[in-house]
Coordinates of all heavy atoms in Angstrom, one line a residue:
Chain A
G46 N -7.1 17.6 -9.7 CA -7.0 19.1 -10.0 C -7.6 19.5 -11.3 O -8.4 20.4 -11.4
S47 N -7.2 18.7 -12.4 CA -7.7 19.1 -13.7 C -9.2 18.9 -13.8 O -9.9 19.6 -14.5 CB -6.9 18.4 -14.8 OG -6.9 17.0 -14.6
Y48 N -9.7 17.8 -13.0 CA -11.1 17.6 -13.1 C -11.8 18.8 -12.4 O -12.8 19.3 -13.0 CB -11.5 16.3 -12.3 CG -13.0 16.2 -12.1 CD1 -13.8 15.8 -13.2 CD2 -13.5 16.4 -10.9 CE1 -15.1 15.7 -13.0 CE2 -14.9 16.3 -10.7 CZ -15.7 15.9 -11.8 OH -17.0 15.8 -11.6
V49 N -11.4 19.2 -11.2 CA -12.0 20.3 -10.5 C -11.9 21.6 -11.4 O -13.0 22.3 -11.5 CB -11.3 20.5 -9.1 CG1 -11.8 21.8 -8.5 CG2 -11.5 19.4 -8.2
L50 N -10.8 21.8 -11.9 CA -10.6 23.0 -12.8 C -11.6 23.0 -13.9 O -12.3 24.0 -14.1 CB -9.2 23.1 -13.3 CG -8.8 24.3 -14.1 CD1 -8.7 25.5 -13.3 CD2 -7.5 24.1 -14.9
L51 N -11.7 21.9 -14.6 CA -12.6 21.8 -15.8 C -14.0 22.0 -15.4 O -14.8 22.7 -16.0 CB -12.4 20.5 -16.6 CG -11.1 20.5 -17.5 CD1 -10.9 19.0 -18.0 CD2 -11.3 21.4 -18.6
S52 N -14.4 21.3 -14.3 CA -15.9 21.4 -13.9 C -16.2 22.8 -13.4 O -17.3 23.3 -13.6 CB -16.3 20.3 -13.0 OG -15.3 20.1 -12.0
V53 N -15.3 23.4 -12.7 CA -15.5 24.8 -12.2 C -15.7 25.7 -13.4 O -16.6 26.5 -13.5 CB -14.4 25.3 -11.3 CG1 -14.4 26.8 -11.1 CG2 -14.5 24.6 -9.9
L54 N -14.8 25.6 -14.4 CA -14.9 26.5 -15.6 C -16.2 26.2 -16.3 O -16.7 27.1 -16.9 CB -13.7 26.2 -16.5 CG -12.3 26.7 -16.0 CD1 -11.2 26.3 -17.0 CD2 -12.4 28.2 -15.9
M55 N -16.6 25.0 -16.3 CA -17.9 24.7 -17.0 C -19.1 25.3 -16.3 O -19.9 25.9 -16.9 CB -18.1 23.1 -17.1 CG -17.4 22.6 -18.3 SD -17.6 20.8 -18.3 CE -16.3 20.4 -19.5
S56 N -19.1 25.1 -15.0 CA -20.3 25.6 -14.3 C -20.2 27.2 -14.2 O -21.3 27.8 -14.1 CB -20.3 25.0 -12.8 OG -19.1 25.3 -12.2
A57 N -19.0 27.8 -14.3 CA -19.0 29.2 -14.3 C -19.3 29.8 -15.7 O -19.4 31.0 -15.9 CB -17.6 29.7 -13.9
G58 N -19.4 28.9 -16.7 CA -19.8 29.3 -18.0 C -18.6 29.8 -18.9 O -18.8 30.2 -20.0
I59 N -17.4 29.7 -18.3 CA -16.3 30.1 -19.2 C -16.1 29.1 -20.3 O -15.8 29.4 -21.4 CB -15.0 30.2 -18.3 CG1 -15.3 31.3 -17.2 CG2 -13.8 30.5 -19.1 CD1 -14.2 31.4 -16.2
I60 N -16.2 27.7 -19.9 CA -16.2 26.7 -21.0 C -17.7 26.6 -21.4 O -18.5 25.9 -20.7 CB -15.6 25.4 -20.5 CG1 -14.2 25.6 -20.2 CG2 -15.8 24.3 -21.6 CD1 -13.5 24.3 -19.7
D61 N -18.1 27.2 -22.5 CA -19.5 27.1 -22.9 C -19.8 25.9 -23.6 O -18.9 25.0 -23.8 CB -20.0 28.4 -23.6 CG -19.1 28.6 -24.9 OD1 -18.4 27.6 -25.3 OD2 -19.1 29.7 -25.5
S62 N -21.0 25.7 -24.1 CA -21.4 24.4 -24.7 C -20.5 24.1 -25.9 O -20.3 22.9 -26.2 CB -22.9 24.4 -25.1 OG -23.1 25.5 -26.0
V63 N -20.1 25.1 -26.7 CA -19.2 24.9 -27.8 C -17.9 24.2 -27.4 O -17.5 23.2 -27.9 CB -18.9 26.2 -28.6 CG1 -18.0 25.9 -29.7 CG2 -20.2 26.8 -29.1
Y64 N -17.3 24.9 -26.3 CA -16.0 24.4 -25.9 C -16.2 23.0 -25.1 O -15.3 22.3 -25.1 CB -15.3 25.4 -25.0 CG -14.7 26.5 -25.9 CD1 -15.3 27.8 -25.9 CD2 -13.6 26.2 -26.7 CE1 -14.8 28.7 -26.8 CE2 -13.1 27.1 -27.5 CZ -13.7 28.4 -27.6 OH -13.1 29.3 -28.4
Q65 N -17.4 22.8 -24.6 CA -17.6 21.5 -23.9 C -17.5 20.4 -25.0 O -16.9 19.3 -24.7 CB -19.0 21.5 -23.3 CG -18.9 22.0 -21.9 CD -20.2 21.9 -21.1 OE1 -21.0 21.0 -21.4 NE2 -20.4 22.8 -20.2
T66 N -18.0 20.6 -26.2 CA -17.8 19.7 -27.2 C -16.3 19.4 -27.5 O -15.9 18.3 -27.7 CB -18.5 20.1 -28.5 OG1 -19.7 20.7 -28.2 CG2 -18.7 19.0 -29.5
V67 N -15.6 20.5 -27.5 CA -14.1 20.4 -27.7 C -13.5 19.5 -26.7 O -12.7 18.6 -27.0 CB -13.5 21.8 -27.8 CG1 -11.9 21.6 -27.9 CG2 -14.0 22.6 -28.9
V68 N -13.9 19.8 -25.4 CA -13.4 19.0 -24.3 C -13.7 17.5 -24.5 O -12.9 16.6 -24.3 CB -13.9 19.5 -22.9 CG1 -13.5 18.6 -21.8 CG2 -13.3 20.9 -22.7
T69 N -15.0 17.2 -24.8 CA -15.4 15.9 -25.0 C -14.6 15.2 -26.1 O -14.1 14.1 -26.0 CB -16.9 15.8 -25.4 OG1 -17.5 16.9 -24.8 CG2 -17.5 14.5 -25.0
T70 N -14.4 15.9 -27.2 CA -13.7 15.4 -28.4 C -12.2 15.1 -27.9 O -11.7 14.0 -28.3 CB -13.6 16.4 -29.5 OG1 -14.9 16.9 -29.7 CG2 -13.1 15.7 -30.8
I71 N -11.7 16.0 -27.2 CA -10.3 15.8 -26.7 C -10.2 14.5 -25.8 O -9.3 13.7 -26.0 CB -9.8 17.0 -26.0 CG1 -9.5 18.1 -27.0 CG2 -8.5 16.7 -25.2 CD1 -9.1 19.4 -26.4
I72 N -11.2 14.4 -24.9 CA -11.2 13.2 -24.1 C -11.2 11.9 -24.9 O -10.4 11.0 -24.7 CB -12.4 13.2 -23.1 CG1 -12.1 14.3 -22.0 CG2 -12.6 11.9 -22.4 CD1 -13.2 14.5 -21.0
I73 N -12.1 11.9 -25.9 CA -12.2 10.6 -26.7 C -10.9 10.4 -27.5 O -10.4 9.3 -27.6 CB -13.4 10.8 -27.7 CG1 -14.7 10.7 -26.9 CG2 -13.4 9.7 -28.7 CD1 -15.9 11.1 -27.6
N74 N -10.3 11.5 -28.0 CA -9.1 11.4 -28.8 C -7.9 11.0 -27.9 O -7.1 10.3 -28.4 CB -8.8 12.7 -29.5 CG -9.6 12.9 -30.7 OD1 -10.2 12.0 -31.2 ND2 -9.7 14.2 -31.2
I75 N -7.9 11.4 -26.7 CA -6.8 10.9 -25.8 C -6.9 9.4 -25.6 O -5.9 8.7 -25.7 CB -6.9 11.6 -24.4 CG1 -6.5 13.1 -24.5 CG2 -5.9 10.9 -23.4 CD1 -6.7 13.8 -23.2
I76 N -8.1 8.9 -25.4 CA -8.3 7.5 -25.2 C -7.9 6.7 -26.5 O -7.1 5.7 -26.5 CB -9.8 7.1 -24.9 CG1 -10.2 7.8 -23.6 CG2 -9.9 5.6 -24.7 CD1 -11.7 7.6 -23.3
L77 N -8.3 7.3 -27.7 CA -7.9 6.6 -28.9 C -6.4 6.6 -29.1 O -5.8 5.6 -29.5 CB -8.6 7.3 -30.1 CG -10.1 7.0 -30.2 CD1 -10.7 8.0 -31.2 CD2 -10.4 5.6 -30.6
A78 N -5.8 7.8 -28.9 CA -4.4 8.0 -29.2 C -3.5 7.1 -28.3 O -2.6 6.4 -28.8 CB -4.0 9.4 -29.1
T79 N -3.9 7.1 -27.0 CA -3.0 6.2 -26.1 C -3.2 4.8 -26.4 O -2.2 4.0 -26.4 CB -3.4 6.5 -24.6 OG1 -4.8 6.5 -24.5 CG2 -2.8 7.8 -24.1
S80 N -4.4 4.4 -26.8 CA -4.6 2.9 -27.1 C -3.9 2.5 -28.4 O -3.3 1.4 -28.4 CB -6.1 2.6 -27.1 OG -6.7 3.3 -28.2
L81 N -3.9 3.4 -29.3 CA -3.1 3.1 -30.6 C -1.6 3.1 -30.3 O -0.9 2.3 -30.9 CB -3.5 4.1 -31.7 CG -2.8 3.8 -33.0 CD1 -3.4 2.4 -33.6 CD2 -3.1 4.8 -34.1
N82 N -1.2 4.0 -29.4 CA 0.2 4.1 -29.1 C 0.7 2.8 -28.4 O 1.8 2.4 -28.6 CB 0.4 5.3 -28.1 CG 1.9 5.8 -28.1 OD1 2.7 5.1 -28.7 ND2 2.1 6.9 -27.5
L83 N -0.2 2.2 -27.7 CA 0.2 0.9 -27.1 C 0.5 -0.1 -28.2 O 1.5 -0.9 -28.0 CB -1.0 0.4 -26.2 CG -0.8 -1.0 -25.6 CD1 0.3 -0.9 -24.6 CD2 -2.1 -1.4 -24.9
I84 N -0.2 -0.1 -29.3 CA 0.0 -1.0 -30.3 C 1.2 -0.6 -31.2 O 2.1 -1.4 -31.5 CB -1.2 -1.2 -31.2 CG1 -2.4 -1.7 -30.4 CG2 -1.0 -2.2 -32.4 CD1 -3.7 -1.7 -31.1
I85 N 1.2 0.7 -31.6 CA 2.3 1.1 -32.5 C 3.6 1.5 -31.8 O 4.6 1.1 -32.2 CB 1.7 2.3 -33.4 CG1 0.6 1.9 -34.3 CG2 2.9 2.9 -34.2 CD1 0.1 2.9 -35.3
G86 N 3.4 2.4 -30.8 CA 4.6 3.0 -30.2 C 5.3 2.0 -29.2 O 6.5 1.9 -29.2

Side-chain angles (χ1 to χ4, degrees):
Chain A
S47 53
Y48 171 74
V49 171
L50 183 71
L51 281 170
S52 42
V53 165
L54 286 178
M55 275 178 195
S56 54
I59 298 171
I60 296 182
D61 58 16
S62 59
V63 176
Y64 283 107
Q65 274 185 25
T66 319
V67 175
V68 171
T69 329
T70 314
I71 288 177
I72 288 180
I73 292 169
N74 282 343
I75 291 175
I76 302 178
L77 287 169
T79 45
S80 62
L81 186 64
N82 202 350
L83 178 65
I84 302 173
I85 294 188

